[in-house]
Amino acid sequence: MIEVKDLVFSYEKGRKALKGLDFEVEKGEIFGFLGPNGSGKSTTQKILTGIQGGYEGEVRLMGKTPDKTDRKVFYQEIGVLFEFPYLYTNLSALDNLKFFSSFYSRERRRDIMPLLERLEFKMDYLK
């Protein structure tokens, strides 16, 4: 589903943000980026979503190269949340999930509770 091979990216002045990053994420697998500030987490996400080009190596999501794919179609197939707080603080966690799921057709929506259980989400936070 996601394939990254020998991903290299440098910002101006030759500062390398990514140096030969390799990973694969299979369908249904949960994957997260962890690391200190400046380790390339956001840069990797921007490359994966087609926002950032100018990289070396291979990147494929669902068999497509993000920065060479029709963005409208591509963005209908993925979901990303960057480090900025895009949740509504006046809504509960469950209400936030329901709100954002309303952007999709009923056929594409999934039941939230099994996902929360799988993630071992503390149910006290739903209130």
Side-chain angles (χ1 to χ4, degrees):
M1 183 139 205
I2 300 175
E3 301 171 70
V4 175
K5 293 181 182 164
D6 198 29
L7 183 58
V8 176
F9 182 82
S10 296
Y11 287 103
E12 50 197 65
K13 300 180 185 174
R15 185 179 65 110
K16 282 195 176 180
L18 301 169
K19 304 171 189 171
L21 181 62
D22 291 302
F23 67 91
E24 288 186 24
V25 181
E26 301 296 329
K27 184 175 182 175
E29 186 176 4
I30 297 172
F31 185 87
F33 291 107
L34 300 173
N37 289 343
S39 63
K41 301 178 302 294
S42 295
T43 300
T44 301
Q45 282 186 308
K46 289 174 186 173
I47 291 170
L48 290 173
T49 57
I51 295 170
Q52 179 71 58
Y55 59 86
E56 297 174 39
E58 296 179 40
V59 176
R60 295 203 178 283
L61 274 78
M62 300 168 293
K64 300 172 186 169
T65 303
D67 60 343
K68 296 178 180 151
T69 302
D70 178 357
R71 287 191 181 186
K72 183 177 179 181
V73 173
F74 183 67
Y75 289 159
Q76 291 174 350
E77 298 295 321
I78 66 170
V80 175
L81 180 64
F82 289 97
E83 69 263 21
F84 303 106
Y86 288 113
L87 301 178
Y88 294 101
T89 57
N90 59 326
L91 297 178
S92 70
L94 186 58
D95 289 337
N96 266 287
L97 290 170
K98 287 179 180 177
F99 173 71
F100 286 104
S101 73
S102 72
F103 297 165
Y104 298 92
S105 67
R106 288 198 187 281
E107 299 82 42
R108 292 199 57 202
R109 290 185 213 162
R110 294 172 37 193
D111 185 17
I112 295 168
M113 296 312 289
L115 177 61
L116 294 177
E117 290 170 9
R118 184 172 179 192
L119 295 172
E120 298 177 6
F121 192 84
K122 295 185 180 186
M123 295 301 159
D124 294 350
Y125 290 114
L126 295 179
K127 301 173 185 165

